[in-house]
Amino acid sequence: MPVAPPAHATAGVAVTARGLTRRYGTGPAAVVALDSVDVDFAAGAFTAIMGPSGSGKSTLLHCLAGLDRADAGTVHVGTADLGRLDDRGLTLLRRDWIGFVFQSLNLLPALTAEENVVLPLALAGRRPDPAWLRQVVTAVGLGDRLRHRPAELSGGQQQRVAVARALVTKPWVVFADEPTGNLDSRSGAEVLRLLREAVDALGQTVVMVTHDPVAASHADRVVFLADGRLVTELTEPTAERVLDALARLDPARRPEAVAR
């Protein structure tokens, strides 16, 4: 049975973190990946998470998605408190109300594109909503490739399958971790268009980790981490504004440093 859909914790907010802290290791060798992070992610919006290498952005995404447990603080997906869910509850929440798009596509080679898309529902013993499936397949442009297996698809087409799979359950939120990292610029731009359209046309909430200012410019808002802390954010970002913000956080990105 699917878990009940999470209701808004606060009007217009899909995911909330308060005092989120994550440490790895103990003693002097301990690394604080997240240091008391407070952040909200708006419902029906596209938010990018950025920061220098080691800033904690992927750790934040994994804690928000229930893939990693924080040492302190809270995460709410809607009103569902992830810290109060046992392993089964987290599994059900991820299965029914969270979509994932990651660098490693995790497509099953023996299944067709359509079978890969509906796999989360098949594992839950549920049938897809035919109208929603058609809408998702049309949105990602897979209509003529559904019977093809992953090996018969280009990298960009495989990522379209991954995006469709993330959307097919009508998730509360879609988390994307470097979704364009393994793609050429053209395929990467197509995936970003799909995520943008998922928000604009399908009303989804998307939270994406990326290191690419051009990718981040597709979002409505960019939040920046440094040393495990939330330090600044941009709304209506452009690639130039994102690059400038990153340069202030990471000297290695400054033009004079790149020139050397």
Side-chain angles (χ1 to χ4, degrees):
M1 290 288 292
V3 295
H8 283 296
T10 306
V13 177
V15 182
T16 298
R18 290 291 180 269
L20 202 62
T21 300
R22 184 70 171 100
R23 300 181 186 87
Y24 296 101
T26 58
V31 174
V32 179
L34 296 175
D35 188 1
S36 298
V37 172
D38 294 341
V39 63
D40 294 334
F41 295 92
F46 188 171
T47 306
I49 302 172
M50 299 194 78
S53 178
S55 61
K57 51 189 182 291
S58 287
T59 300
L60 174 59
L61 191 81
H62 292 168
C63 288
L64 295 174
L67 298 172
D68 192 7
R69 286 192 182 269
D71 295 298
T74 61
V75 174
H76 286 84
V77 176
T79 54
D81 183 345
L82 270 59
R84 294 181 177 272
L85 297 178
D86 59 16
D87 288 344
R88 174 171 168 74
L90 279 174
T91 297
L92 293 175
L93 185 78
R94 290 193 299 261
R95 186 191 72 187
D96 295 324
W97 299 109
I98 295 177
F100 298 99
V101 184
F102 295 131
Q103 252 184 293
S104 53
L105 304 180
N106 297 324
L107 302 182
L108 297 184
L111 301 183
T112 66
E114 182 174 15
E115 289 167 340
N116 270 288
V117 168
V118 301
L119 184 60
L121 295 171
L123 293 174
R126 294 157 54 198
R127 293 181 180 275
D129 175 339
W132 178 252
L133 179 60
R134 282 194 302 271
Q135 189 174 354
V136 168
V137 166
T138 299
V140 302
L142 278 174
D144 60 345
R145 309 296 285 178
L146 290 178
R147 297 187 181 279
H148 292 71
R149 288 181 169 77
E152 300 171 307
L153 302 174
S154 68
Q157 289 168 337
Q158 290 180 40
Q159 193 66 294
R160 291 186 200 185
V161 174
V163 172
R165 182 182 57 193
L167 296 172
V168 75
T169 60
K170 299 183 182 178
W172 182 254
V173 58
V174 173
F175 291 108
D177 194 357
E178 300 282 7
T180 63
N182 288 334
L183 300 176
D184 60 44
S185 59
R186 182 175 179 179
S187 297
E190 179 69 10
V191 169
L192 292 166
R193 182 189 67 79
L194 296 175
L195 293 176
R196 182 72 257 175
E197 287 191 1
V199 174
D200 295 339
L202 303 179
Q204 292 293 155
T205 301
V206 175
V207 178
M208 174 183 72
V209 162
T210 183
H211 68 279
D212 181 2
V214 174
S217 70
H218 287 73
D220 301 301
R221 170 180 173 236
V222 184
V223 297
F224 295 88
L225 297 179
D227 299 321
R229 297 174 183 170
L230 186 67
V231 291
T232 191
E233 65 177 71
L234 288 175
T235 55
E236 300 182 0
T238 64
E240 293 76 15
R241 292 180 68 207
V242 171
L243 190 59
D244 183 59
L246 286 172
R248 291 195 297 270
L249 298 177
D250 183 3
R253 282 184 174 264
R254 292 175 183 161
E256 62 270 23
V258 173
R260 288 198 296 268

